[in-house]
Amino acid sequence: QRAMAARPDSVALLPSLTVPAAVVVGDEDGVTGPEHARAMAAALPDAVLTVLPAAGHLSPVEQPEPVAAALAGLLVRVRR
């Protein structure tokens, strides 16, 4: 958490990205929670936000199937 706190905020750069993005967050994430994910997704021009119920900061470990589905959806969008 200290490393994240020391990093500069890069949200201002997100609108300049020109690629599809997947923003995946657990609804119980206490480190970078849903409010941060919503802000990131809103700042990205082509983002899909997935909020996973009953998942925390380790959502790929806690909810691997929904995370994989979100990433598969991103790959479909990238291939277009």
Side-chain angles (χ1 to χ4, degrees), residues 7 17 49-50 52:
R7 285 192 312 203
L17 296 179
L49 173 65
T50 303
L52 303 173

Side-chain angles (χ1 to χ4, degrees), residues 26-61:
D27 69 351
E28 298 174 6
D29 188 334
V31 179
T32 53
E35 65 282 352
H36 290 77
R38 285 185 189 92
M40 287 176 51
L44 288 158
D46 188 11
V48 173
L49 173 65
T50 303
V51 180
L52 303 173
H57 190 66
L58 299 175
S59 55
V61 175

Side-chain angles (χ1 to χ4, degrees), residues 3-30:
M4 287 180 57
R7 285 192 312 203
D9 187 351
S10 300
V11 173
L13 300 174
L14 297 179
S16 68
L17 296 179
T18 60
V19 296
V23 180
V24 181
V25 66
D27 69 351
E28 298 174 6
D29 188 334

